[in-house]
Amino acid sequence: MKSNLKSLMVLTGMFVLPAFIGCQSQNEQTAAEPTAETETAAEPEQQQTTGPKTDTVVIYQMQFQPANLTVNKGDTVVWINKDLVAHNVTEDPAGSVKSDTLNTGDSFKLVPDHSFNYICSIHPTMKAQLTVNE
Ligand SMILES: [Cu+2]
């Protein structure tokens, strides 16, 4: 009786397990396809967005990256300091744009209404340019 039960379990296992694996791999294939389609579909959607967007300037290794950024009017620009030392964003020659001191990890957000050149007034050799398309 005991051995019968054991062989039944083994038989069941042999039958169920391959069926389960077969079913699972089928599920994975079925699941993978829509995911890939969703990702592909999401990209053009983002590119087609015509509303205001957010551009990022990373401050790193004593540089504004990118040093030349062009945005559309209404867009938001965020400067993020990922450098080891403090920086700022200062319109040059002096104008309306002047951030607080940005320590590592700090950011400065602006919806620029005009094009301007800017520097880090702590390190005036750091120069960059922001162009706003009307
Ligand atoms: Cu600086």
Side-chain angles (χ1 to χ4, degrees):
M1 194 63 184
K2 208 174 182 182
S3 64
N4 276 351
L5 183 67
K6 198 173 182 180
S7 61
L8 182 69
M9 283 171 73
V10 170
L11 279 171
T12 309
M14 281 169 71
F15 177 75
V16 170
L17 201 62
F20 178 71
I21 291 167
C23 183
Q24 195 180 36
S25 65
Q26 217 171 24
N27 279 348
E28 277 169 20
Q29 279 182 340
T30 315
E33 280 172 36
T35 306
E37 278 172 28
T38 306
E39 279 172 15
T40 315
E43 280 177 41
E45 259 177 50
Q46 279 183 330
Q47 285 168 353
Q48 282 165 9
T49 302
T50 52
K53 55 183 173 56
T54 298
D55 289 282
T56 302
V57 177
V58 174
I59 309 173
Y60 185 62
Q61 294 187 335
M62 304 293 285
Q63 287 179 325
F64 295 103
Q65 299 174 357
N68 289 284
L69 177 66
T70 300
V71 302
N72 293 316
K73 198 158 193 172
D75 287 354
T76 299
V77 180
V78 179
W79 284 263
I80 301 174
N81 185 6
K82 293 190 176 178
D83 212 343
L84 299 173
V85 295
H87 298 290
N88 64 35
V89 176
T90 304
E91 186 169 344
D92 179 52
S96 58
V97 179
K98 173 106 174 69
S99 77
D100 291 334
T101 298
L102 305 174
N103 291 307
T104 303
D106 287 350
S107 61
F108 171 58
K109 193 185 273 193
L110 179 74
V111 181
D113 59 1
H114 64 289
S115 302
F116 59 91
N117 294 326
Y118 63 95
I119 59 169
C120 166
S121 67
I122 305 167
H123 313 101
T125 54
M126 294 172 60
K127 295 179 183 189
Q129 189 172 34
L130 181 70
T131 304
V132 180
N133 285 332
E134 296 292 321

